[in-house]
Every structure is written in structure tokens, then in C-alpha cells.
């Protein structure tokens, strides 16, 4: 447990450029505090001391605003940046080197006592306000954009955005995505651009047909018009 806590401290230095010292992390980082509370609570939970584990989890929530159920399984070097409003459900499983930002929910979609929370792979980043719901699996090296709502499995090496969350970029093979969060693809802008291009094509077709119609002479139109005699 102490080794895991030490790894958690150094993971903060790796992923938060604002971190300046170990002392600062120990006293001023609620994400680190919440993970430390969880590691203790999880130990009690796995040793069937459920009330103590739940109470430790509750204390962690009280002090940090981050709620992690003591039954959740969390890997090494887990980092919660800012953290307020993060919720991790009982049957959630989180791999190594995972980063969550504030407002993230790893939630369930059923009241049945089954595996009902997500499984998060290694090296995953989940942006602010994102919701990953149900027993879905998020593949390794995936990035989920802020405020996305993910309800389906996501393959490894993917970038997910939107509501519901869709894969908007993916790297095949073992190569990991090296893309800064500031340059996340924008599927809405892409869809809008495609729509505008389609509207332009339709306008060109309409104008072409209009020009052909206006090119017809009045005589041509009258020739096609039935006479009064025929109408009688």
C-alpha cells in the first residue's frame, strides 16, 4: 500500500505541471487524498470489514468532494486532477496510469447486484464532466473528451467525443495516441461542414435547373398549353 501511495505522489508530478513539491501534494491535492482514503478503505472492504471500509470512503468524500466506493478496483498511479464531483461506483475497475478530471462519473445503469460499472483500461484519460455508464469496457490508451456520455464499449487507442460518445479518431495497432487535449477532434464542426457542402451542391443543382427553365421561350410554353377547343 505504501508503494502505491508513493507511486500516486510521483504520478502527480508527471501529469500536473503546477505541482511543485511532495509537501504540496501531501497537503493540497484532494485527488491524492481521495485515492489514499480509497486504498485504505479498499483494504478493509476486501477483508470483509465492510462498515469500516464504507466509513473510510464516506470520510474521503466529506473531505475531498470525491466519492469512490470501497469496492472499486483501482490500479497503480491513478490521478484525479482537481477532483470535485468525481464518482466511482462499486464494481468499477480502473487500470494503471489512468487520469480523471473533475466531474467524471463512472456510474451504473441498473439496480441489480451485478457488474454494473465500467472497466477502464490502462493509460486512459477522461475529461471534465464526462460520464461513462454501465458495464462498458474502455480500451487502453483511450481519451474521452469533456462532457461526453459513453454507453458503449470503446476500442483501444481511440478518442471519444459527443453525446452519446462516438469514436472520432483511432490509431491502429500498438501505437499510442500522442495528441494534446487542446486539439481534440470536433465532430460537430465536421458534421456541420459536411452539411454546408451538401447544401451548396443542392443549390447549384437548383440554379442549373432554374436557368434551363428560364431559357425556354414563351412560344414553347404556349405550344405545350392545350387550346380552348380541346378543353371543350
Amino acid at each position: 500500500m505504501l508503494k502505491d501511495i508513493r507511486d500516486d505522489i510521483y504520478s502527480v508530478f508527471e501529469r500536473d505541471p503546477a505541482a511543485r513539491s511532495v509537501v504540496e501534494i501531501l497537503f493540497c491535492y484532494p485527488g491524492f487524498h481521495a485515492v489514499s482514503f480509497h486504498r485504505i478503505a479498499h483494504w478493509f472492504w476486501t477483508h470483509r470489514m465492510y462498515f469500516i471500509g464504507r466509513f473510510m470512503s464516506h470520510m474521503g468524500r466529506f473531505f475531498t468532494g470525491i466519492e469512490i466506493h470501497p469496492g472499486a478496483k483501482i490500479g497503480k498511479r491513478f490521478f484525479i486532477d482537481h477532483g470535485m464531483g468525481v464518482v466511482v461506483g462499486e464494481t468499477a475497475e480502473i487500470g494503471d496510469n489512468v487520469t480523471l478530471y473533475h466531474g467524471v462519473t463512472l456510474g451504473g445503469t441498473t439496480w441489480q447486484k451485478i457488474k454494473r460499472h465500467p472497466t477502464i483500461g490502462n493509460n486512459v484519460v477522461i475529461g471534465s464532466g464526462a460520464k461513462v455508464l454501465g458495464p462498458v469496457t474502455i480500451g487502453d490508451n483511450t481519451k474521452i473528451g469533456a462532457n461526453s456520455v459513453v454507453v458503449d464499449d470503446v476500442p483501444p487507442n481511440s478518442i471519444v467525443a459527443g453525446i452519446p460518445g462516438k469514436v472520432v479518431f483511432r490509431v491502429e495497432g500498438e501505437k499510442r495516441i500522442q495528441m494534446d487535449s487542446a486539439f481534440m477532434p470536433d465532430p460537430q464542426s465536421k458534421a456541420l461542414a459536411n452539411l454546408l457542402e451538401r447544401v451548396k451542391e443542392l443549390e447549384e443543382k437548383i440554379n442549373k435547373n432554374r436557368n434551363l427553365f428560364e431559357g425556354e421561350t414563351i412560344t414553347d410554353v404556349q405550344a405545350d398549353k392545350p387550346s380552348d377547343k380541346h378543353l371543350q
Side-chain angles (χ1 to χ4, degrees), residues 133-192:
L133 306 176
V136 299
T137 299
I138 308 301
D140 295 346
N141 312 315
T142 290
K143 290 188 175 184
I144 297 176
N147 294 317
S148 298
V149 179
V150 182
V151 293
D152 295 309
D153 291 347
V154 176
N157 305 305
S158 300
I159 292 180
V160 177
I163 301 174
K166 301 293 183 184
V167 176
V168 297
F169 182 82
R170 185 163 183 247
V171 176
E172 298 290 345
E174 299 298 325
K175 186 178 179 181
R176 291 177 56 181
I177 294 174
Q178 300 293 335
M179 183 179 291
D180 192 274
S181 299
F183 301 98
M184 292 281 284
D186 188 347
Q188 292 182 346
S189 295
K190 184 177 180 181
L192 184 60

Side-chain angles (χ1 to χ4, degrees), residues 69 89-92 106-119 132-136:
H69 194 283
E90 177 185 7
T91 61
L106 306 182
T109 55
T110 179
W111 291 343
Q112 299 180 27
K113 293 185 177 182
I114 57 176
K115 166 66 173 171
R116 60 191 184 278
H117 298 101
T119 297
V132 185
L133 306 176
V136 299

Side-chain angles (χ1 to χ4, degrees), residues 49-222:
M49 290 180 274
Y50 299 120
F51 174 78
I52 300 177
R54 201 72 171 90
F55 182 75
M56 289 296 300
S57 172
H58 179 71
M59 293 300 294
R61 178 180 181 273
F62 178 81
F63 284 110
T64 67
I66 299 168
E67 182 171 348
I68 307 175
H69 194 283
K73 298 177 181 177
I74 296 178
K76 299 177 181 178
R77 297 176 295 280
F78 179 51
F79 176 49
I80 303 175
D81 198 1
H82 300 291
M84 180 62 71
V86 168
V87 176
V88 179
E90 177 185 7
T91 61
E93 299 177 44
I94 300 174
D96 298 335
N97 303 307
V98 172
T99 301
L100 306 185
Y101 288 89
H102 56 279
V104 169
T105 298
L106 306 182
T109 55
T110 179
W111 291 343
Q112 299 180 27
K113 293 185 177 182
I114 57 176
K115 166 66 173 171
R116 60 191 184 278
H117 298 101
T119 297
I120 310 298
N122 300 323
N123 309 307
V124 172
V125 178
I126 305 180
S128 306
K131 316 299 178 187
V132 185
L133 306 176
V136 299
T137 299
I138 308 301
D140 295 346
N141 312 315
T142 290
K143 290 188 175 184
I144 297 176
N147 294 317
S148 298
V149 179
V150 182
V151 293
D152 295 309
D153 291 347
V154 176
N157 305 305
S158 300
I159 292 180
V160 177
I163 301 174
K166 301 293 183 184
V167 176
V168 297
F169 182 82
R170 185 163 183 247
V171 176
E172 298 290 345
E174 299 298 325
K175 186 178 179 181
R176 291 177 56 181
I177 294 174
Q178 300 293 335
M179 183 179 291
D180 192 274
S181 299
F183 301 98
M184 292 281 284
D186 188 347
Q188 292 182 346
S189 295
K190 184 177 180 181
L192 184 60
N194 292 336
L195 180 61
L196 292 174
E197 184 66 26
R198 181 58 177 163
V199 169
K200 181 179 178 182
E201 292 177 1
L202 293 174
E203 286 179 342
E204 290 175 352
K205 290 182 179 180
I206 292 172
N207 291 332
K208 183 178 180 181
N209 292 333
R210 181 184 297 165
N211 292 334
L212 290 174
F213 177 77
E214 291 176 351
E216 294 182 354
T217 64
I218 297 177
T219 304
D220 294 334
V221 175
Q222 291 178 345

